[in-house]
Amino acid sequence: MSADRVEVENVNHPGQSSRVDAAKYGAIRTLMLSALPAAEPGMTTDHIKDAIRPDLPQDLFPQGKTLGWWVKCVQLDLEAKGAMVRLPTKPLSFLRT
């Protein structure tokens, strides 16, 4: 596997993986894990995006473009790896484990 790509999993499709840009994945993963609380009520996807947007590296995410896709990609991977969990709320909320 190339050093500039990282393999991600999807909690909704066990056993399947994809390869994505390692720098973008790493940036979003670090920001998400630092923003996510470990206790309820957790954070919704919109709250996560709002929390990490100010610290996005502009060289990777100019004007926050594709932020939503990357947050979802990292969220599904972190859930598959057990680093975060979803709560049975509407809208969905997430916690760091």
Side-chain angles (χ1 to χ4, degrees):
M1 183 179 312
S2 175
D4 61 343
R5 308 290 283 176
V6 64
E7 195 164 314
V8 295
E9 300 173 49
N10 183 328
V11 70
N12 297 322
H13 300 281
Q16 295 182 358
S17 62
S18 301
R19 293 174 34 168
V20 298
D21 182 276
K24 290 182 179 183
Y25 173 86
I28 297 295
R29 182 183 186 278
T30 298
L31 292 170
M32 279 180 67
L33 288 175
S34 68
L36 273 172
E40 292 191 28
M43 293 177 85
T44 66
T45 302
D46 286 340
H47 290 133
I48 294 169
K49 289 190 280 189
D50 290 344
I52 68 175
R53 187 173 278 116
D55 297 318
L56 281 176
Q58 288 302 303
D59 59 326
L60 297 176
F61 302 97
Q63 293 103 34
K65 290 184 179 174
T66 68
L67 175 60
W69 188 90
W70 281 100
V71 166
K72 187 54 134 177
C73 172
V74 173
Q75 172 239 308
L76 292 169
D77 183 59
L78 291 176
E79 279 190 271
K81 293 176 176 161
M84 72 185 280
V85 295
R86 69 177 70 185
L87 300 173
T89 60
K90 288 190 181 186
L92 287 176
S93 293
F94 301 91
L95 297 175
R96 178 176 31 90
T97 56

